[in-house]
Amino acid sequence: MAKEKVTVTMSGQVLANLDADARSSGLNRSEYVERIAREAHYRRLLDQVEGPAWTTAEEDRARDVLRWQAEA
């Protein structure tokens, strides 16, 4: 995939935090910024989607499955 160069202006503290987060994720600054931008985009798309319309019985069953999974 072709990459494009952009310029972003941010405070020194924000940049230091970003660099620390990138290092702890094992990524360089550019890779990390690309990842968080992509995640923010998908989060915005998910926020626009309406959740499933479950019956009470289906909700109860899902909770039972999650409880069983947590106890396993």
Side-chain angles (χ1 to χ4, degrees):
M1 166 175 44
K3 305 269 181 165
E4 294 188 36
K5 192 171 194 171
V6 298
T7 300
V8 178
T9 303
M10 60 183 67
S11 73
Q13 185 59 52
V14 170
L15 185 58
N17 292 340
L18 186 124
D19 285 339
D21 291 343
R23 274 192 306 277
S24 70
S25 297
L27 302 170
N28 67 38
R29 183 189 292 169
S30 294
E31 292 167 334
Y32 186 73
V33 169
E34 184 175 354
R35 176 181 286 178
I36 61 175
R38 186 182 314 109
E39 289 173 358
H41 170 70
Y42 289 137
R43 199 169 22 256
R44 184 187 60 79
L45 291 177
L46 285 172
D47 286 344
Q48 296 174 0
V49 176
E50 203 172 303
W54 290 5
T55 66
T56 303
E58 290 170 326
E59 285 184 23
D60 291 343
R61 180 66 179 146
R63 290 181 203 289
D64 289 343
V65 168
L66 291 172
R67 191 176 308 109
W68 172 79
Q69 190 177 37
E71 292 170 357

